[in-house]
């Protein structure tokens, strides 16, 4: 492989940076946005060619560094998929922004920081060592901060941006210290060398305090980046920014936490307590976000809580060792969440057009439980048919069960009132198709990224099995809870429960009060220049 090939990938972020330097001062803002679309198209074409190259020639690795400190490019199947995903979503957002902000006085400024943010994310993905990755990580946060403050005279936007800024700086410190500990243990920050060393040590290594602390710091960094409990509130308050920023944030940047964990998966497998902690944080956040999302009336806030929950699911899978599943989750979530935000303005019209009354009301609790048991049994049966077991694949099985629970109300309505054979067969066939599609995709992605991500968990998986079982049980309880809340909407207990859940159990209110107490200046309007 010619040594120049990996470096050609740098043209993707470089094309965005070079255009951003122009700042739109030499042409009209709309023309400048048109040039941005061209630069985004170049980045996407490079991403496609890179993915094809990796598929045919294997990982691309080239470095101008010593001991993993310096400039390096490392692109394997994981990097290629993420590069393609971010480039595609970025181009869509750039194209959408040209019309969305047409005529806005800050259009050119917005385009400049959008290009720099995308360039930072692309650089993060192709980084071949942790030093470069950290630099791109921080650059992504600082560029995004400018976009979050696009309307800097709005107090709510300033508060949300500053909360995000504080959270990000805490994460930066954790990542830098974690990388320093890895350097002291392995003697390098080169990602390829870290992966090789971790795979070599995995069969024989015992408990290492340095690795455990480094692993905990890295997973805390990922949790902070992905808006996990308890510092999740900033994500639901950044709606003051233009819609394209929300789409890019929820569909791309927030996945950086998951990418960090996947990038260092081999190293993190040597730190069992760190991954178990990540599974607990992710599972708790997924449960929290899923509950609160159901009670929101604002479309964008509901989508924000959905993102919090989905990032929790993704980190739960990482914590349970289902790394390839987490990658599939990132791709699927990014695509549908970008579409959701960019089309959020028309969701009311779509809902009105598709709404129809349900003459049967909410299904009876007994029938709901029967449907729940049937769906879980179907999930476990098809999972075993594809070779996924609770002992070896708790992450895939847990998410598959939660996914299929989304069909419980459909199945319960099918058997409610007067069951119809056609309706029952159709509902059952839909559930079977969803389960088969889910586990088939899991197997396909595992085959695609087998050389980049660990596919088997060498650890004692008893803790993982317990965590997965608890997650399944709690989401089953939430399904029943949702049904009861709807059936008894006028009862004082359920009215109070709805209020508390809708407020996110006041966790974000507590965070806002702390911000106002210790950083009162964040409520002051900021300059937009």
């Amino acid at each position: 492989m010619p040594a120049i090939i990996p470096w050609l990938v740098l043209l993707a972020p470089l094309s965005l940076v070079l255009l951003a330097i122009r700042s739109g001062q030499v042409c009209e803002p709309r023309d400048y946005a048109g040039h941005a679309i061209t630069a985004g198209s170049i980045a996407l074409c490079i991403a496609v060619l890179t993915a094809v190259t990796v598929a045919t020639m294997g990982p691309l690795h080239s470095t101008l560094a010593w001991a993993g400190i310096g400039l390096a490019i490392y692109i394997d199947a994981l990097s290629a998929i993420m590069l393609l995903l971010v480039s595609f979503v970025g181009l869509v957002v750039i194209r959408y922004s040209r019309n969305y902000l047409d005529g806005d006085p800050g259009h050119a400024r917005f385009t400049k920081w959008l290009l720099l943010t995308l360039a930072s994310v692309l650089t993060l993905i192709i980084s071949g060592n942790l030093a470069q990755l950290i630099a791109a990580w921080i650059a992504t946060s600082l560029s995004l901060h400018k976009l979050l403050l696009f309307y800097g005279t709005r107090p709510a936007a300033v508060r949300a941006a500053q909360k995000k800024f504080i959270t990000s700086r805490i994460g930066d410190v954790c990542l830098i210290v974690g990388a320093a500990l890895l350097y002291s243990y392995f003697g390098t920050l080169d990602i390829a060398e870290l992966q090789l060393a971790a795979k070599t040590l995995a069969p024989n290594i015992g408990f290492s305090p340095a690795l455990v602390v480094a692993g905990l710091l890295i997973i805390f960094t990922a949790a902070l980046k992905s808006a996990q409990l308890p510092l999740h509130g900033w994500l639901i308050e950044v709606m003051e920014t233009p819609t394209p920023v929300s789409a890019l944030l929820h569909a791309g940047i927030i996945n950086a936490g998951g990418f960090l964990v996947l990038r260092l998966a081999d190293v993190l497998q040597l730190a069992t307590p760190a991954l178990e902690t990540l599974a607990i944080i992710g599972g708790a956040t997924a449960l929290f976000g899923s509950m609160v999302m159901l009670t929101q009336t604002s479309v964008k806030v509901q989508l924000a809580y959905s993102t919090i929950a989905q990032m929790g699911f993704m980190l739960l899978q990482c914590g349970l060792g289902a790394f390839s599943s987490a990658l599939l989750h990132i791709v699927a979530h990014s695509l549908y969440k970008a579409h959701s935000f960019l089309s959020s303005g028309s969701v009311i019209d779509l809902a009105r057009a598709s709404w129809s009354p349900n003459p049967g009301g909410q299904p009876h609790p007994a029938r709901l439980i029967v449907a729940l048991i049937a769906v879980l049994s179907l999930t476990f049966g098809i999972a075993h048919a594809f070779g996924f077991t609770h002992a070896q694949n708790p992450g895939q099985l847990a998410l598959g069960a939660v996914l299929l629970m989304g069909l419980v109300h459909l199945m319960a309505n099918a058997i409610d009132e007067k069951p119809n054979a056609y309706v029952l067969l159709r509902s059952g066939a839909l559930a079977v198709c969803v389960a088969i599609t889910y586990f088939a995709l899991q197997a396909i992605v595992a085959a695609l990224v087998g050389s980049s991500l660990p596919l088997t968990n060498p650890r004692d998986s008893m803790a993982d099995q317990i965590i997965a079982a608890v997650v399944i049980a709690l989401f089953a309880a939430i399904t029943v809870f949702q049904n009861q809340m709807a059936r008894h909407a006028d009862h004082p207990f359920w009215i109070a429960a709805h209020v508390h859940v809708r407020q996110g159990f006041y966790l974000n209110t507590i965070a806002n009060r702390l911000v106002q107490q210790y950083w009162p200046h964040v409520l002051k309007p900021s300059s937009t220049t």
Side-chain angles (χ1 to χ4, degrees), residues 277-302:
T277 302
L278 183 63
I280 294 172
I281 293 174
T285 305
L287 184 69
F288 167 82
S290 300
M291 287 183 61
V292 179
M293 178 190 71
L294 298 173
T295 62
Q296 301 304 305
T297 55
S298 168
V299 173
K300 288 189 176 181
V301 173
Q302 188 178 67

Side-chain angles (χ1 to χ4, degrees), residues 76-86 125 255 258-263 310-311 313-315 317-318 321-335 396 399 441-442 444-455:
D76 55 2
L78 168 63
S79 301
I81 291 173
M82 292 297 297
L83 187 69
L84 193 60
L85 174 66
V86 173
I125 291 171
N255 293 322
F259 175 76
L260 177 66
V261 175
L262 295 177
R263 182 77 289 171
Q310 294 299 328
M311 292 299 100
F313 280 123
M314 183 265 297
L315 293 180
Q317 290 173 303
C318 290
F323 299 109
S324 61
S325 299
L327 177 59
L328 175 61
H329 200 133
I330 287 176
V331 174
H333 174 261
S334 295
L335 295 176
Q396 290 93 334
L399 185 64
L441 286 173
Q442 296 289 338
I444 292 171
V445 173
L448 288 175
V449 299
S451 61
S452 300
L453 296 172
L455 298 181

Side-chain angles (χ1 to χ4, degrees), residues 496-510:
H498 185 276
V499 171
H500 297 319
V501 174
R502 183 179 178 184
Q503 297 302 319
F505 301 102
Y506 310 100
L507 294 178
N508 192 45
T509 301
I510 296 172

Side-chain angles (χ1 to χ4, degrees), residues 504-527:
F505 301 102
Y506 310 100
L507 294 178
N508 192 45
T509 301
I510 296 172
N512 285 340
R513 290 178 178 176
L514 291 175
V515 169
Q516 292 176 13
Q517 179 178 353
Y518 294 103
W519 295 282
H521 63 281
V522 304
L523 296 180
K524 297 179 181 179
S526 172
S527 171

